[in-house]
Amino acid sequence: MKVLVVENEAQTLNDISFCINVLYPHAAVIPITEGPKALKAIEMEEPELIIASSSLPDVGPLDLVRKIRKLSDAPLIFLTDIESGIEKAQLLEGGADDCVGKPMSAIEFLAVVRALLRRTNHLGYKQDQTISLGNGLSVNIG
């Protein structure tokens, strides 16, 4: 699984990478610190999960979510220090799947990631699901 993380704060970027690697040890975390570079990375890497900060200095959060949605339908979580319910609602209406407050709680963040991936990619459940068709024939749908 590829996870694109768009965050300009080094500590937050490290925290997210650590959390993702604890939950999904085989995940490839792609760190990006600028909005325009993130858009190029989405096209090239085709991540299965995108986590983006609402406080990037080079692009506004609403502009970023709209540009991301033009390129990808991957699950999108915004890390936000926005207090306004209206601004969070705009992010969600613009295409974000969820918003997690900054500073983030690792427990809440991981729960949001698991729930979102469970709903969209069926990750988080037992991935080795085999259906027996009889006569020694089976199909692995995991």
Side-chain angles (χ1 to χ4, degrees), residues 36-50:
K37 288 182 181 179
L39 300 174
K40 290 178 185 173
I42 290 169
E43 289 181 307
M44 295 183 69
E45 299 290 342
E46 298 180 358
E48 286 87 8
L49 173 63
I50 302 169

Side-chain angles (χ1 to χ4, degrees), residues 17-85:
S17 295
F18 178 78
C19 287
I20 293 295
N21 285 316
V22 165
L23 192 58
Y24 301 103
H26 301 292
V29 177
I30 304 160
I32 304 287
T33 58
E34 299 171 18
K37 288 182 181 179
L39 300 174
K40 290 178 185 173
I42 290 169
E43 289 181 307
M44 295 183 69
E45 299 290 342
E46 298 180 358
E48 286 87 8
L49 173 63
I50 302 169
I51 302 164
S53 174
S54 69
S55 57
L56 297 173
D58 57 353
V59 62
L62 292 175
D63 191 32
L64 183 59
V65 73
R66 290 181 186 125
K67 288 178 178 179
I68 288 172
R69 281 298 174 229
K70 286 181 183 177
L71 299 171
S72 175
D73 63 352
L76 174 59
I77 299 170
F78 259 83
L79 300 175
T80 180
D81 49 9
I82 298 170
E83 295 295 324
S84 165

Side-chain angles (χ1 to χ4, degrees), residues 92-107:
L92 294 167
E93 289 292 329
D97 293 297
D98 210 332
C99 294
V100 174
K102 283 170 66 174
M104 68 174 207
S105 155
I107 293 170

